[in-house]
Structures are given as structure tokens and as C-alpha cells.
Amino acid sequence: VGWAIDVGRFEMRDGRKLSVLEDWTNRVRGAEPCQEWPTDGEAGRIMRKLVCEAYAHDLFQSMVTPHDNDAHKNHVHLEIRP
């Protein structure tokens, strides 16, 4: 039984595929993942917004992003509330 999901890719209704590994471009260790990053492309901004809004609305208890460590460079870890 798992209490978390690891998301590596988002598939949008319009067919676009957003990849954490390729599109989450700013990975400064320890930085706030939900701040705006001017270097993000459109895919990175959309992905960051989806993840951060879900977390801000208390859909998840914790969030681990590429900003945390190399083990999360290709996915976002979202832990649900038990």
C-alpha cells in the first residue's frame, strides 16, 4: 500500500506531454519550487502551476520536487493524506 504518487509526465487534454525531466528546467537545490522562474518555458510553468496549486489546496500532505535532490530529478513525489 502506497501513500504517494510519483509523477514524471503530465498528458494534457490538447495532446501535449510535459516531462519533469525535460521541462522542469530550474533545479536549484533547496529553492522554493513554487516561485516563478523566468527561465521556465511554457511547459515548465504549466507543470509547476499544476503541482503547486494542488499542494496549496491541501490535496497532498507533502511534495518533493527536483529542487530537493537528484533522486527526484525526473519526477515529483506527492504524498496523500492518510
Side-chain angles (χ1 to χ4, degrees):
V1 175
W3 289 103
I5 58 173
D6 291 334
V7 182
R9 185 176 71 185
F10 295 84
E11 293 188 24
M12 309 303 284
R13 287 186 183 151
D14 63 7
R16 286 180 294 166
K17 293 181 177 132
L18 314 178
S19 164
V20 172
L21 183 61
E22 296 171 15
D23 299 315
W24 195 294
T25 55
N26 192 305
R27 299 163 182 273
V28 175
R29 294 291 178 259
E32 169 56 50
C34 295
Q35 72 183 23
E36 286 192 34
W37 295 93
T39 56
D40 275 348
E42 179 184 15
R45 281 192 301 275
I46 291 169
M47 205 171 7
R48 198 180 298 273
K49 182 178 179 179
L50 286 170
V51 169
C52 293
E53 284 187 5
Y55 183 69
H57 283 91
D58 254 354
L59 298 178
F60 300 99
Q61 178 174 307
S62 66
M63 166 178 71
V64 183
T65 71
H67 293 277
D68 289 289
N69 55 45
D70 281 338
H72 292 86
K73 69 182 178 185
N74 66 348
H75 68 280
V76 175
H77 177 90
L78 301 167
E79 187 173 320
I80 63 172
R81 295 187 181 281

